[in-house]
Amino acid sequence: MPQSNYEKAFERMPSEFLKYDQQRMIQNFHLAHDGAYLYLTMLARHYRVSRHEGTAEWTENGADYVPAGILDSMVLYDLLCCAKDGCRLAGRFCRAENLPGAAYGADPAKGMFTAFAARCDRAPQALAQACRRLGGVDLQIGEVSCRLPLFDFLPVIVQFWSSDEEFPPVLKLMWDENTLSFLHFETVCYAASFLISRLEDLMDKP
C-alpha cells in the first residue's frame, strides 16, 4: 500500500526539525533540556525530542519511552519549529473557526466530535474524570467543562452538554485567541484529534 501524505510528512519530520534553531525553541517555551534532548509535556505525557536525531518519544512513567505517533508528532514539531517568537496567550477563548487569522468559515474539526459526543452523552462523568486525569481544572460552564493543558503554556477548554428531547449532545473545544501564534491552523485540527483520542483512551480505563 502506498504511503499517505501524512506518513511521508511524518518520516521527514525528524530531519526537518534538525534544520531549526533549538536555542530559539528553548527560549520561546522555557524548555527543560540537556545535551541530548529537549523536554516538554503534552496532555499528561512527558515528551523528549532528540537534539541530534530529531526523533520524538513519550513516557507516562518517566522511564519507558515510546515513539511518538503521527498526530502528537505533527503538533509537537509544528509548535517547536514554527511558533512565532515571543508568542503569548490572550486569555480569551473561542472556537477554532473563530480564531483571529483563520480562514473565514473554516472549521478544522467539522464532524470530528459527533461520535465522541454521543459516547459522552452516555457517560458524562467519565468525560469529566478523563479531563481531570489530563490535568484539567473544572470550570462552571455547561454540564462538563474543564481547562486542560495541551502544553503547560497552551491551554484548551473542553465543554460538553448532554442531549435532551430537542437537541443532540454538544461538545466544544475552545482555544486561546492567540493559539495561531503557537500552531498553524491545520495543526489545531491535529491537536483536537489527539486530545479526543487521549480522552477516549482514558474513558476506557478504570
Side-chain angles (χ1 to χ4, degrees), residues 40-52:
L40 67 169
T41 300
M42 177 166 52
L43 292 177
R45 283 180 176 171
H46 303 293
Y47 286 79
R48 66 184 186 185
V49 182
S50 170
R51 303 189 68 174
H52 304 291

PDB file of all heavy atoms in Angstrom, residues 40-52:
ATOM      1  N   LEU A  40       9.338  18.408  27.089  1.00  0.00           N
ATOM      2  CA  LEU A  40       8.102  19.151  27.330  1.00  0.00           C
ATOM      3  C   LEU A  40       6.964  18.161  27.541  1.00  0.00           C
ATOM      4  O   LEU A  40       7.067  16.984  27.204  1.00  0.00           O
ATOM      5  CB  LEU A  40       7.776  20.124  26.203  1.00  0.00           C
ATOM      6  CG  LEU A  40       7.416  19.614  24.815  1.00  0.00           C
ATOM      7  CD1 LEU A  40       6.871  20.777  23.963  1.00  0.00           C
ATOM      8  CD2 LEU A  40       8.622  19.024  24.097  1.00  0.00           C
ATOM      9  N   THR A  41       5.875  18.661  28.127  1.00  0.00           N
ATOM     10  CA  THR A  41       4.727  17.825  28.462  1.00  0.00           C
ATOM     11  C   THR A  41       3.540  18.203  27.595  1.00  0.00           C
ATOM     12  O   THR A  41       3.233  19.383  27.435  1.00  0.00           O
ATOM     13  CB  THR A  41       4.362  17.977  29.946  1.00  0.00           C
ATOM     14  OG1 THR A  41       5.486  17.591  30.744  1.00  0.00           O
ATOM     15  CG2 THR A  41       3.168  17.119  30.315  1.00  0.00           C
ATOM     16  N   MET A  42       2.862  17.192  27.013  1.00  0.00           N
ATOM     17  CA  MET A  42       1.665  17.411  26.216  1.00  0.00           C
ATOM     18  C   MET A  42       0.595  16.438  26.689  1.00  0.00           C
ATOM     19  O   MET A  42       0.777  15.224  26.619  1.00  0.00           O
ATOM     20  CB  MET A  42       1.963  17.223  24.721  1.00  0.00           C
ATOM     21  CG  MET A  42       0.735  17.363  23.835  1.00  0.00           C
ATOM     22  SD  MET A  42       1.078  17.549  22.052  1.00  0.00           S
ATOM     23  CE  MET A  42       2.155  16.164  21.718  1.00  0.00           C
ATOM     24  N   LEU A  43      -0.511  16.988  27.180  1.00  0.00           N
ATOM     25  CA  LEU A  43      -1.648  16.188  27.635  1.00  0.00           C
ATOM     26  C   LEU A  43      -1.216  15.039  28.544  1.00  0.00           C
ATOM     27  O   LEU A  43      -1.546  13.875  28.319  1.00  0.00           O
ATOM     28  CB  LEU A  43      -2.444  15.673  26.433  1.00  0.00           C
ATOM     29  CG  LEU A  43      -3.192  16.764  25.637  1.00  0.00           C
ATOM     30  CD1 LEU A  43      -3.877  16.153  24.421  1.00  0.00           C
ATOM     31  CD2 LEU A  43      -4.219  17.467  26.530  1.00  0.00           C
ATOM     32  N   ALA A  44      -0.473  15.399  29.568  1.00  0.00           N
ATOM     33  CA  ALA A  44      -0.068  14.484  30.643  1.00  0.00           C
ATOM     34  C   ALA A  44       0.924  13.414  30.205  1.00  0.00           C
ATOM     35  O   ALA A  44       1.189  12.472  30.945  1.00  0.00           O
ATOM     36  CB  ALA A  44      -1.292  13.827  31.304  1.00  0.00           C
ATOM     37  N   ARG A  45       1.476  13.555  29.017  1.00  0.00           N
ATOM     38  CA  ARG A  45       2.576  12.694  28.591  1.00  0.00           C
ATOM     39  C   ARG A  45       3.850  13.521  28.537  1.00  0.00           C
ATOM     40  O   ARG A  45       3.826  14.662  28.062  1.00  0.00           O
ATOM     41  CB  ARG A  45       2.301  12.083  27.216  1.00  0.00           C
ATOM     42  CG  ARG A  45       1.326  10.938  27.218  1.00  0.00           C
ATOM     43  CD  ARG A  45       1.118  10.407  25.815  1.00  0.00           C
ATOM     44  NE  ARG A  45       0.254   9.242  25.801  1.00  0.00           N
ATOM     45  CZ  ARG A  45      -0.232   8.681  24.699  1.00  0.00           C
ATOM     46  NH1 ARG A  45       0.072   9.199  23.515  1.00  0.00           N
ATOM     47  NH2 ARG A  45      -1.022   7.619  24.766  1.00  0.00           N
ATOM     48  N   HIS A  46       4.927  12.939  28.996  1.00  0.00           N
ATOM     49  CA  HIS A  46       6.211  13.630  29.005  1.00  0.00           C
ATOM     50  C   HIS A  46       6.996  13.239  27.753  1.00  0.00           C
ATOM     51  O   HIS A  46       7.295  12.063  27.533  1.00  0.00           O
ATOM     52  CB  HIS A  46       6.979  13.270  30.273  1.00  0.00           C
ATOM     53  CG  HIS A  46       6.221  13.590  31.528  1.00  0.00           C
ATOM     54  ND1 HIS A  46       5.934  14.879  31.920  1.00  0.00           N
ATOM     55  CD2 HIS A  46       5.648  12.775  32.449  1.00  0.00           C
ATOM     56  CE1 HIS A  46       5.246  14.863  33.036  1.00  0.00           C
ATOM     57  NE2 HIS A  46       5.051  13.600  33.372  1.00  0.00           N
ATOM     58  N   TYR A  47       7.307  14.243  26.947  1.00  0.00           N
ATOM     59  CA  TYR A  47       7.981  14.015  25.671  1.00  0.00           C
ATOM     60  C   TYR A  47       9.433  14.456  25.737  1.00  0.00           C
ATOM     61  O   TYR A  47       9.794  15.365  26.500  1.00  0.00           O
ATOM     62  CB  TYR A  47       7.285  14.803  24.553  1.00  0.00           C
ATOM     63  CG  TYR A  47       5.961  14.220  24.130  1.00  0.00           C
ATOM     64  CD1 TYR A  47       4.815  14.431  24.877  1.00  0.00           C
ATOM     65  CD2 TYR A  47       5.854  13.445  22.972  1.00  0.00           C
ATOM     66  CE1 TYR A  47       3.597  13.885  24.503  1.00  0.00           C
ATOM     67  CE2 TYR A  47       4.638  12.901  22.583  1.00  0.00           C
ATOM     68  CZ  TYR A  47       3.521  13.127  23.347  1.00  0.00           C
ATOM     69  OH  TYR A  47       2.316  12.580  22.961  1.00  0.00           O
ATOM     70  N   ARG A  48      10.245  13.835  24.898  1.00  0.00           N
ATOM     71  CA  ARG A  48      11.602  14.304  24.682  1.00  0.00           C
ATOM     72  C   ARG A  48      11.883  14.213  23.179  1.00  0.00           C
ATOM     73  O   ARG A  48      11.446  13.282  22.506  1.00  0.00           O
ATOM     74  CB  ARG A  48      12.613  13.474  25.473  1.00  0.00           C
ATOM     75  CG  ARG A  48      12.755  12.028  25.038  1.00  0.00           C
ATOM     76  CD  ARG A  48      13.715  11.270  25.944  1.00  0.00           C
ATOM     77  NE  ARG A  48      13.972   9.906  25.450  1.00  0.00           N
ATOM     78  CZ  ARG A  48      14.683   8.995  26.092  1.00  0.00           C
ATOM     79  NH1 ARG A  48      15.228   9.297  27.286  1.00  0.00           N
ATOM     80  NH2 ARG A  48      14.881   7.792  25.577  1.00  0.00           N
ATOM     81  N   VAL A  49      12.589  15.215  22.685  1.00  0.00           N
ATOM     82  CA  VAL A  49      12.965  15.259  21.272  1.00  0.00           C
ATOM     83  C   VAL A  49      14.483  15.250  21.202  1.00  0.00           C
ATOM     84  O   VAL A  49      15.156  16.087  21.828  1.00  0.00           O
ATOM     85  CB  VAL A  49      12.407  16.520  20.578  1.00  0.00           C
ATOM     86  CG1 VAL A  49      12.780  16.521  19.098  1.00  0.00           C
ATOM     87  CG2 VAL A  49      10.892  16.592  20.745  1.00  0.00           C
ATOM     88  N   SER A  50      15.021  14.306  20.452  1.00  0.00           N
ATOM     89  CA  SER A  50      16.474  14.158  20.349  1.00  0.00           C
ATOM     90  C   SER A  50      17.078  15.368  19.636  1.00  0.00           C
ATOM     91  O   SER A  50      16.659  15.724  18.535  1.00  0.00           O
ATOM     92  CB  SER A  50      16.818  12.880  19.594  1.00  0.00           C
ATOM     93  OG  SER A  50      18.197  12.849  19.290  1.00  0.00           O
ATOM     94  N   ARG A  51      18.065  15.977  20.250  1.00  0.00           N
ATOM     95  CA  ARG A  51      18.713  17.146  19.666  1.00  0.00           C
ATOM     96  C   ARG A  51      19.654  16.775  18.527  1.00  0.00           C
ATOM     97  O   ARG A  51      20.080  17.654  17.771  1.00  0.00           O
ATOM     98  CB  ARG A  51      19.472  17.906  20.755  1.00  0.00           C
ATOM     99  CG  ARG A  51      18.576  18.324  21.918  1.00  0.00           C
ATOM    100  CD  ARG A  51      19.273  19.249  22.887  1.00  0.00           C
ATOM    101  NE  ARG A  51      19.551  20.545  22.272  1.00  0.00           N
ATOM    102  CZ  ARG A  51      20.053  21.584  22.947  1.00  0.00           C
ATOM    103  NH1 ARG A  51      20.311  21.460  24.239  1.00  0.00           N
ATOM    104  NH2 ARG A  51      20.295  22.719  22.333  1.00  0.00           N
ATOM    105  N   HIS A  52      19.966  15.488  18.399  1.00  0.00           N
ATOM    106  CA  HIS A  52      20.906  15.041  17.375  1.00  0.00           C
ATOM    107  C   HIS A  52      20.235  14.228  16.275  1.00  0.00           C
ATOM    108  O   HIS A  52      20.705  14.232  15.136  1.00  0.00           O
ATOM    109  CB  HIS A  52      22.021  14.219  18.025  1.00  0.00           C
ATOM    110  CG  HIS A  52      22.738  14.962  19.107  1.00  0.00           C
ATOM    111  ND1 HIS A  52      23.557  16.050  18.857  1.00  0.00           N
ATOM    112  CD2 HIS A  52      22.729  14.789  20.459  1.00  0.00           C
ATOM    113  CE1 HIS A  52      24.037  16.505  19.995  1.00  0.00           C
ATOM    114  NE2 HIS A  52      23.555  15.760  20.979  1.00  0.00           N
TER     115      HIS A  52
END
